[in-house]
Each structure stands twice: as C-alpha cells, then as structure tokens.
Amino acid sequence: MGKNKFSEEQQKQLLSNPFIEKVSDSSISYTKEFKERFYQEYQSGKGPSAILRDMEIDPTLLGKRRKDSLVQRVKDYAERIDGYQDMRGKNSGRHSIKELSDTDRIKRLEHQIRYLKQENEFLKKTEFLDRQAEWKENQKQRQKKNSDSSKK
C-alpha cells in the first residue's frame, strides 16, 4: 500500500492556504500558528476534519492517515519544550565535536573512557554469571545422572 501523492494541482491548492508552509508530492508542512490553533480547537472538543475545514483545508485531500498523523504530531508538539517550532535541521540533539574546545574535547573523551570501562565491567560480570549458572546446571545434571544410576 503506497502513500497518497499530491498532484501538482493539489499542491498549488494547498500552498495557497496561509497555514501551509511547504508542500511536496508526498508531504506537507504547516505553520506554527496552524499547529497552535489546531491543538487549541482540538482540546476544546472539535474534530480534526471540522478544524481543517474552518482553516480552509479540504480534509478529504489529506486523507485519514495524514489527519491522524497530524493530530498525534500536534499533541506531541504541545508537550515539547520547543513547542510548535519546527526544529528539524536546527537542533540534532548532539553537540558537534568540531565546535568543542580542547578542554571540552578532553572531558568528553574522558567521559567516554569511563563509560567504556563501566561497560566492560558489566560485560565481565554478566559473562561470569552466565558461566556460574551454566556450571550449576551441569552440577544438577550430574547429580541427577548419579542418582538415576544408583537407583538401577
């Protein structure tokens, strides 16, 4: 089952709406104002299709999946610290190593070393526990064999 693509005509129709930032044949980006208003109206009990119609967007053009996805994304945006702002490309969540000073880079590498040492200790312990459990299982099997052979 493929994605519903927007035709050139549908893209032009969508782009004429002030609440829509970008449209491609397969995706649509809404403005911050749209997301805020959509969430407020949705929280007040209005349905997604009715909200879209009020904002002059044809809900049938989007389809059920896009509407459901929109509702979920808007809810997620409402819970974010950044709010409804689109942070794609602006904040990947990681600091670039190129931007770090030498002292920060050293701190980062020291932290990485501590982490790897801790991970190695954990792996050693789990390996030891696995071997110990295997040894205990072997002992039980030997005892069972011995008790079975003594019964004969």
Side-chain angles (χ1 to χ4, degrees):
M1 189 158 102
K3 261 188 175 180
N4 293 334
K5 305 270 185 186
F6 293 120
S7 69
E8 292 285 329
E9 186 180 308
Q10 291 171 327
Q11 289 179 43
K12 286 178 185 173
Q13 179 186 347
L14 288 167
L15 275 174
S16 67
N17 189 301
F19 292 112
I20 295 177
E21 271 181 9
K22 290 186 263 180
V23 178
S24 71
D25 63 340
S26 59
S27 69
I28 184 168
S29 296
Y30 303 95
T31 63
K32 180 182 173 188
E33 294 77 26
F34 170 86
K35 295 170 197 170
E36 290 171 346
R37 183 171 157 193
F38 187 95
Y39 182 73
Q40 289 169 351
E41 291 188 28
Y42 185 78
Q43 287 301 102
S44 70
K46 212 172 196 183
S49 294
I51 299 168
L52 289 167
R53 274 191 223 97
D54 287 351
M55 295 185 183
E56 298 179 10
I57 299 172
D58 183 6
T60 58
L61 190 64
L62 299 182
K64 182 174 177 11
R65 266 194 160 162
R66 282 194 181 100
K67 281 191 302 186
D68 293 344
S69 174
L70 173 63
V71 170
Q72 188 56 51
R73 276 188 284 126
V74 169
K75 286 179 184 178
D76 292 344
Y77 283 135
E79 294 175 8
R80 287 184 354 181
I81 293 170
D82 299 323
Y84 300 94
Q85 193 65 36
D86 187 1
M87 299 305 289
R88 289 178 294 187
K90 297 177 184 94
N91 181 8
S92 67
R94 285 189 172 186
H95 297 291
S96 173
I97 293 176
K98 295 175 188 173
E99 298 171 7
L100 297 177
S101 67
D102 287 342
T103 55
D104 288 338
R105 188 174 289 140
I106 290 169
K107 283 181 184 177
R108 185 183 186 123
L109 291 171
E110 286 174 342
H111 173 73
Q112 192 175 12
I113 290 168
R114 284 192 307 275
Y115 179 85
L116 292 171
K117 283 182 177 179
Q118 192 175 25
E119 186 177 38
N120 282 339
E121 287 301 314
F122 174 77
L123 292 172
K124 285 178 188 176
K125 285 178 184 177
T126 57
E127 187 177 329
F128 172 76
L129 292 172
D130 286 344
R131 276 190 270 132
Q132 191 177 35
E134 189 178 322
W135 182 82
K136 286 180 180 179
E137 186 62 34
N138 289 339
Q139 289 296 323
K140 285 181 185 178
Q141 288 176 359
R142 284 186 193 137
Q143 287 175 350
K144 187 177 178 184
K145 269 187 181 178
N146 290 338
S147 68
D148 288 346
S149 64
S150 66
K151 288 180 184 178
K152 289 182 181 179

